[in-house]
Amino acid sequence: MKQKSWQTAVLVMAVAAVGWFGFGRGEGDLAGAEPLDTAAMAAVSALNTITVGANGSVMVDPDIAYLNVAVETRGSTAAAAQQSNADKFAAVEKTLYEKFAIDKKDVQTTGFFVQPEYNYTEKEGRKLVGYTAVHSVQVKYRKLGEIGKLLDALSAAGANRMDGVQFGTEKSDEYERQALQKAMANAEAKANVLAASAKREVKKVVNIVQGAASTPPILLQSNAKMMADSAASMPASSVQVGQIEVTTSVTVQYEMR
């Protein structure tokens, strides 16, 4: 009862203060009084709201892998390095498109360059020793159980740089919605605890702001030389897919009574 009387008193004082200034502007005419000041109304409204932030996440199985591989070659001239690279990369492409039937739209060049290599000595200073050519690609692959075989085959075909594997999902929107449901449930639980601690009750939601959703990729680093050696004498490389976490956040404002 005391709490309700206190809130009523605050409201009456806010209305009275604004009404007084409005009355003065109207030169004694009550009909000329201005509406309640926006800041005053916001102050009164703030007494009856609570704002909380909450996260929501779901653990899901990956459904796609991004393989980053490259062919790196050297030659005495830029043309020789580039030609050697093209020959080896042709074998990599054959492995991708023919042996594993990967769609060409799922293979994207991420880097291609030819650059000089220098050797530095105190006697001769900088001396050109040759050229390096690098052609790197990212491959989307959905048969996650065969990733080890694919990596071994690419290494055997001439891909001598394995820049890692990332696991992700192509259903991020679906999983984000699930994470949002959990975030809202967490926000409501927090609001109820805080309101109860203040001897109040949550009435309804008045505003929601969604934070950015994220799906941190699982990274797998691999060594091309070790994979090439194992491809020649051992079973296919073993790759553990694991799970990925899809997270999002919300900021929710509730009205209390």
Side-chain angles (χ1 to χ4, degrees), residues 45 48-51 204-208 252-256:
S45 176
N48 298 307
T49 61
I50 183 172
T51 303
K204 64 180 180 179
V205 174
V206 296
N207 189 44
I208 304 173
V252 188
Q253 185 178 51
Y254 296 88
E255 182 181 347
M256 296 188 298

Side-chain angles (χ1 to χ4, degrees), residues 106-120:
D106 288 330
V107 180
Q108 182 179 35
T109 293
T110 55
F112 182 86
F113 63 86
V114 179
Q115 64 183 21
E117 278 191 323
Y118 295 95
N119 186 31
Y120 295 86

Side-chain angles (χ1 to χ4, degrees), residues 38-210:
T38 303
M41 289 296 291
V44 174
S45 176
L47 295 173
N48 298 307
T49 61
I50 183 172
T51 303
V52 298
N55 297 322
S57 65
V58 292
M59 300 298 297
V60 301
D61 295 329
D63 50 52
I64 189 169
Y66 302 91
L67 287 66
N68 299 286
V69 302
V71 173
E72 181 174 331
T73 56
R74 288 174 173 78
S76 58
T77 64
Q82 185 171 344
Q83 185 59 56
S84 176
N85 193 280
D87 293 340
K88 289 188 176 182
F89 195 80
V92 170
E93 286 185 307
K94 186 175 182 179
T95 298
L96 290 171
Y97 302 138
E98 297 182 15
K99 185 174 182 179
F100 285 85
I102 295 175
D103 196 314
K104 290 187 177 182
K105 68 181 182 182
D106 288 330
V107 180
Q108 182 179 35
T109 293
T110 55
F112 182 86
F113 63 86
V114 179
Q115 64 183 21
E117 278 191 323
Y118 295 95
N119 186 31
Y120 295 86
T121 65
E122 292 185 3
K123 183 178 180 179
E124 298 180 345
R126 189 177 76 165
K127 182 179 180 180
L128 179 65
V129 295
Y131 291 82
T132 299
V134 176
H135 188 172
S136 56
V137 294
Q138 183 179 81
V139 181
K140 296 179 182 178
Y141 197 55
R142 296 171 181 82
K143 297 179 182 179
L144 302 190
E146 298 183 9
I147 291 177
K149 293 180 180 179
L150 175 57
L151 290 173
D152 288 340
L154 290 174
S155 182
N160 52 6
R161 246 181 54 188
M162 300 293 176
D163 295 332
V165 179
Q166 295 177 324
F167 294 104
T169 177
E170 294 184 301
K171 302 176 183 177
S172 57
D173 289 342
E174 175 186 339
Y175 296 138
E176 181 184 344
R177 289 191 290 270
Q178 295 177 20
L180 279 172
Q181 289 178 335
K182 291 192 174 184
M184 286 299 295
N186 291 337
E188 184 176 2
K190 285 185 177 182
N192 284 329
V193 169
L194 293 172
S197 298
K199 296 181 174 55
R200 305 287 296 276
E201 292 182 358
V202 172
K203 184 179 178 182
K204 64 180 180 179
V205 174
V206 296
N207 189 44
I208 304 173
V209 178
Q210 180 191 354

Side-chain angles (χ1 to χ4, degrees), residues 3-21 36-37 40-41 43-45 47-48:
Q3 185 180 28
K4 185 174 182 181
S5 299
W6 174 76
Q7 293 171 348
T8 302
V10 172
L11 178 60
V12 169
M13 286 188 291
V15 172
V18 178
W20 171 261
F21 288 108
L36 288 178
D37 182 78
M41 289 296 291
V44 174
S45 176
L47 295 173
N48 298 307

